[in-house]
Amino acid sequence: STQSTWDLSVSFSFNMLSLSFRHTTRPSAILCGRALATATQPKYEPKTVKPKVTKMLINGQFRDSVSGKTFETINPATETVIAQVAEGDKADVELAVKAARDAFENGPWRKMDASERGRLMYKLADAIEAHADELAALESLDNGKPFHVARTVDVPLAVRVYRYYAGWADKIHGKVI
């Protein structure tokens, strides 16, 4: 005999509907000498994944806060500490604003061809998609939602949003989007 489950995830965001169905059949016995197909397990699971970076990203570098302060980020499902994360304050905000202003005025993005901007956004979407299991596990761990929701809704939606805007990067219609 087999155990069969159905999951349905629906998400409304930015006037888009994401609807996904997943059917998993798991064998509890072997039929005619052949096992039934099973769903593959994700590479990462919320229980085992650990954040790789807990510092702030300012001016292209990961750094501790100026004050050296950190805060605990808690898994709401288990109330256990996931990691100590750099706690930014006024001095860190000032550094970030200064770096952002400098990047805006002197950085490559401003002078970059629109099609190249789109290409880089597509590349980011591809990177998110390539690490979807790990990102979904971290999302699940950080906010307590089921892994399958983060994996089938949140991460794919992030990929879709980046690809959507990447497609608009070189479209010149006289509108700001």
Side-chain angles (χ1 to χ4, degrees), residues 10 13 21 28 31 38 44 50-51 54-55 58 64 67 70-71 79 88 90-91 109 113 117 134 138 151 165 169-170:
V10 180
S13 182
F21 294 93
S28 57
L31 301 176
T38 60
Y44 296 92
K50 297 284 184 202
T54 58
K55 298 181 178 190
I58 299 177
D64 292 320
S67 68
T70 63
F71 68 93
E79 297 183 353
K90 184 178 179 181
W109 190 263
D113 180 73
R117 290 180 187 175
E134 182 179 12
L138 286 168
R151 181 62 179 90
Y165 285 109
D170 60 356

Side-chain angles (χ1 to χ4, degrees), residues 16-159:
M16 291 186 282
L17 169 66
S18 175
L19 180 64
S20 62
F21 294 93
R22 182 178 61 136
H23 179 251
T24 305
T25 304
R26 291 198 166 91
S28 57
I30 301 218
L31 301 176
C32 301
R34 295 173 45 192
L36 298 172
T38 60
T40 59
Q41 292 297 318
K43 185 175 177 182
Y44 296 92
E45 293 186 27
K47 295 179 278 194
T48 60
V49 71
K50 297 284 184 202
K52 294 177 183 170
V53 178
T54 58
K55 298 181 178 190
M56 295 180 290
L57 179 61
I58 299 177
N59 202 21
Q61 298 177 343
F62 289 104
R63 56 184 301 148
D64 292 320
S65 63
V66 171
S67 68
K69 290 191 286 186
T70 63
F71 68 93
E72 293 178 340
T73 183
I74 306 291
N75 178 339
T78 63
E79 297 183 353
T80 58
V81 176
I82 300 168
Q84 294 286 331
V85 179
E87 182 177 331
D89 55 23
K90 184 178 179 181
D92 301 298
V93 171
E94 289 172 357
L95 285 173
V97 168
K98 182 179 179 213
R101 172 59 59 191
D102 183 56
F104 176 74
E105 292 174 355
N106 304 310
W109 190 263
R110 185 175 190 175
K111 299 170 192 149
M112 189 180 297
D113 180 73
S115 62
E116 180 65 9
R117 290 180 187 175
R119 189 188 72 73
L120 290 174
M121 291 175 72
Y122 278 121
K123 191 173 177 179
L124 176 58
D126 292 344
I128 292 169
E129 193 170 56
H131 296 277
D133 283 343
E134 182 179 12
L135 292 169
L138 286 168
E139 179 75 358
S140 174
L141 189 66
D142 188 48
N143 66 32
K145 71 171 53 178
F147 172 82
H148 79 274
V149 174
R151 181 62 179 90
T152 60
V153 178
D154 296 352
V155 174
L157 184 58
V159 170

